[in-house]
């Protein structure tokens, strides 16, 4: 299982509750490391904790040394052993819940990290001269560069969970586990939905476009997909959207491919996108139709004609490059996409998933008997760095 969330606490690298208390009292410096090792090898699981009340009573008053990370700097402090143990168990449960969320967004983007609120990316296109030969004694022509700068902004999000002393004293373990698991599930859902909204430019490319735009050349929000010639730029001579191209048969795939291969580089020449990088992105409502097309060796209705899109065809795309999710149906049940998504979209993490734990030795306990608090946070946004690698197909105008 991939670990998504990273705790801000670290320590030195078939047990009973009282054994845990003894460990915290007698080996405080090793407590965190041994707990982490027990969680990692599966000996400790939050869902298997049966008596949270007893655990709280034996560990709440025991302090252990820990190292926390705050704003990139590490600080040595002491903290109650109870939130350290439950926090370590919680982060394992959150990671498990996050990874359990079905997601295709990661296959649509190239990941990057940048701590700035606004990231500027320059896509440098080589500008060549229209000279196909340099005569003897003549100077060789100088090439230049044309920078198309785009912005990727940020979007901060997160959730926190508060566990009262009363819920622990009443041993509401099922409720506590359910809410902790929800933290990971919520994070996974939000990031997936945000990624799909940006890859489809759900807001910016509608009939009446609104923020947020996925494509921001020179910082200006611009519709990414258009059926208008030379829009959103001159390297898309026929646009990058096909209207009236509902996914019905192989002719609709041909129409999308024709537009994709019409895209130009800065010299006005067609670009050659490796076919191995091309994916389909389709809502669940029409995924079955696409499967029938690419699984059919022959063209329906034409005797013995091999389909270009079938298993023996030149443009066959294997099933692992067909990306579909019911979440796309919330955006559109008919719009579909073809292209090299990772060449066009970057997912920028200003803040990778962060996890923080607080215990009963805080002001919150003094004010209102808050026994433990868990908080996750992230800051991520998706931006388009180009407009020539993905084609949008609409069933109507």
């Amino acid at each position: 299982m991939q670990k998504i969330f990273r705790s801000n606490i670290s320590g030195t690298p078939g047990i009973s509750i009282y054994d845990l208390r003894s460990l915290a009292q007698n080996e405080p410096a090793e407590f965190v490391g041994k707990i982490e090792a027990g969680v990692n090898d599966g000996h400790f699981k939050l869902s298997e904790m049966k008596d949270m009340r007893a655990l709280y009573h034996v560990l709440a008053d025991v302090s252990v040394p820990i190292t926390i990370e705050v704003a990139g700097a590490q600080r040595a402090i002491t903290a109650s052993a109870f939130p350290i143990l439950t926090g370590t168990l919680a982060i394992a449960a959150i990671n498990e819940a996050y990874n359990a969320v079905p997601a295709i967004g990661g296959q649509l983007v190239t990941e990057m990290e940048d701590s700035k609120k606004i990231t500027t990316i320059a896509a440098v296109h080589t500008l060549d001269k229209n000279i196909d030969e340099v005569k003897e004694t003549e100077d060789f022509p100088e090439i230049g560069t044309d920078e198309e700068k785009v912005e990727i902004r940020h979007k901060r999000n997160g959730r926190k969970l508060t566990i009262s002393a009363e819920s622990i004293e009443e041993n509401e373990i099922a409720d506590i586990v359910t809410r902790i698991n929800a933290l990971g599930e919520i994070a996974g859902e939000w990031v997936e939905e945000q990624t799909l909204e940006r890859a489809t430019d759900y807001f910016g490319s509608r009939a009446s476009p609104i923020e947020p735009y996925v494509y921001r050349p020179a910082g200006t929000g611009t519709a990414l997909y258009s059926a208008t010639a030379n829009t959103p730029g001159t390297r898309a001579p026929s646009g990058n959207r096909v209207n009236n191209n509902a996914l019905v048969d192989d002719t609709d795939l041909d129409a999308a491919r024709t537009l994709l291969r019409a895209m130009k580089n800065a010299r006005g020449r067609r670009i050659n996108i490796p076919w191995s990088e091309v994916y389909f992105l389709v809502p669940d409502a029409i995924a079955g139709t696409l499967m029938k097309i690419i699984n059919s060796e022959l063209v329906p209705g034409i005797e013995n004609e091999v389909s270009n899109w079938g298993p023996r065809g030149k443009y066959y795309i294997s099933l692992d490059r067909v990306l579909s999710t019911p979440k796309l149906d919330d955006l559109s049940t008919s719009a579909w996409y073809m292209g090299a998504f990772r060449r066009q979209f970057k997912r920028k993490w200003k803040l990778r998933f962060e996890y923080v734990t607080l215990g009963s030795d805080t002001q919150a306990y003094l004010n209102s008997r808050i026994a433990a608090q868990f908080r996750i946070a992230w800051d991520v946004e998706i931006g388009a760095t180009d407009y020539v690698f993905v084609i949008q197909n609409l069933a109507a105008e």
Side-chain angles (χ1 to χ4, degrees):
M1 180 186 71
Q2 181 185 6
K3 292 183 179 178
I4 302 300
F5 293 91
R6 180 179 60 84
S7 175
N8 72 325
I9 297 172
S10 62
T12 306
I15 190 170
S16 74
I17 289 176
Y18 294 101
D19 288 333
L20 289 172
R21 178 180 175 88
S22 177
L23 174 64
Q25 288 179 320
N26 299 326
E27 300 179 63
E30 289 77 28
F31 178 78
V32 175
K34 290 187 176 182
I35 290 301
E36 287 179 341
V39 170
N40 291 337
D41 64 20
H43 283 89
F44 299 138
K45 288 187 177 180
L46 184 66
S47 59
E48 296 176 357
M49 300 300 296
K50 304 301 182 184
D51 195 343
M52 187 72 73
R53 176 178 51 195
L55 191 66
Y56 177 70
H57 286 311
V58 300
L59 292 180
D61 62 339
V62 180
S63 295
V64 295
I66 61 171
T67 300
I68 66 169
E69 184 178 315
V70 180
Q74 291 190 333
R75 294 169 49 196
I77 65 171
T78 59
S80 167
F82 175 73
I84 304 307
L85 172 61
T86 54
T88 304
L89 292 168
I91 197 170
I94 291 170
N95 276 317
E96 187 173 352
Y98 181 94
N99 284 304
V101 175
I104 61 172
Q107 299 178 74
L108 301 173
V109 297
T110 297
E111 307 280 8
M112 62 173 290
E113 297 191 41
D114 193 342
S115 59
K116 296 189 293 292
K117 289 184 177 180
I118 297 178
T119 301
T120 301
I121 296 178
V124 180
H125 305 285
T126 301
L127 289 181
D128 196 5
K129 308 293 184 181
N130 287 321
I131 299 173
D132 63 0
E133 182 182 5
V134 179
K135 300 293 185 181
E136 188 175 353
T137 75
E138 290 183 355
D139 291 340
F140 294 104
E142 184 81 18
I143 66 168
T145 58
D146 173 35
E147 291 190 352
E148 294 181 359
K149 295 183 178 180
V150 296
E151 282 185 3
I152 303 178
R153 299 191 172 180
H154 78 110
K155 188 175 183 181
R156 181 173 176 265
N157 210 339
R159 296 293 184 272
K160 70 176 182 179
L161 168 63
T162 298
I163 299 177
S164 67
E166 284 80 3
S167 65
I168 292 175
E169 289 164 353
E170 294 173 9
N171 207 31
E172 297 287 351
I173 184 64
D175 174 66
I176 293 171
V177 170
T178 298
R179 288 191 289 150
I180 287 175
N181 287 338
L183 288 176
E185 183 177 344
I186 289 168
E189 293 271 351
W190 274 106
V191 172
E192 174 74 352
E193 290 163 7
Q194 181 184 356
T195 304
L196 294 174
E197 288 172 353
R198 300 299 186 270
T200 61
D201 198 25
Y202 177 68
F203 298 100
S205 289
R206 57 176 58 185
S208 299
I210 58 174
E211 291 281 5
Y213 293 88
V214 71
Y215 185 49
R216 308 191 73 89
T220 302
T222 302
L224 175 62
Y225 299 112
S226 172
T228 304
N230 299 314
T231 309
T234 57
R235 291 186 295 109
S238 301
N240 55 13
R241 169 191 283 168
V242 186
N243 287 329
N244 300 310
N245 197 39
L247 184 57
V248 177
D249 55 36
D250 61 334
T251 62
D252 304 308
L253 304 185
D254 287 333
R257 191 188 69 85
T258 298
L259 192 59
L260 185 62
R261 67 183 177 87
M263 298 303 178
K264 304 291 181 67
N265 60 20
R267 293 189 297 118
R269 301 296 181 90
R270 292 176 189 259
I271 59 177
N272 184 17
I273 302 172
W275 197 243
S276 61
E277 296 183 17
V278 175
Y279 282 68
F280 284 115
L281 177 64
V282 296
D284 189 68
I286 57 175
T289 300
L290 179 58
M291 299 294 186
K292 289 180 181 178
I293 296 172
I294 64 177
N295 283 328
S296 177
E297 294 196 358
L298 302 177
V299 177
I302 303 179
E303 187 174 357
N304 295 328
E305 182 169 329
V306 175
S307 170
N308 285 327
W309 297 93
R312 289 189 289 158
K314 180 179 180 180
Y315 307 124
Y316 176 67
I317 289 181
S318 57
L319 294 180
D320 62 330
R321 287 193 281 144
V322 175
L323 306 178
S324 181
T325 169
K327 287 189 174 296
L328 270 178
D329 296 61
D330 286 337
L331 309 180
S332 171
T333 57
S334 58
W336 57 281
Y337 303 79
M338 174 199 291
F341 293 87
R342 284 176 172 164
R343 286 201 178 197
Q344 184 156 293
F345 298 105
K346 291 189 182 297
R347 186 158 66 182
K348 183 195 83 172
W349 295 91
K350 183 177 182 295
L351 174 67
R352 282 283 182 178
F353 290 109
E354 179 186 68
Y355 171 86
V356 176
T357 305
L358 292 177
S360 58
D361 47 356
T362 63
Q363 188 69 31
Y365 185 79
L366 178 65
N367 292 342
S368 50
R369 295 196 77 222
I370 301 302
Q373 291 178 292
F374 310 104
R375 188 265 289 162
I376 60 174
W378 64 93
D379 194 324
V380 66
E381 188 54 281
I382 297 89
T385 56
D386 214 325
Y387 54 84
V388 298
F389 293 104
V390 177
I391 302 301
Q392 183 189 57
N393 300 271
L394 302 184
E397 294 292 333

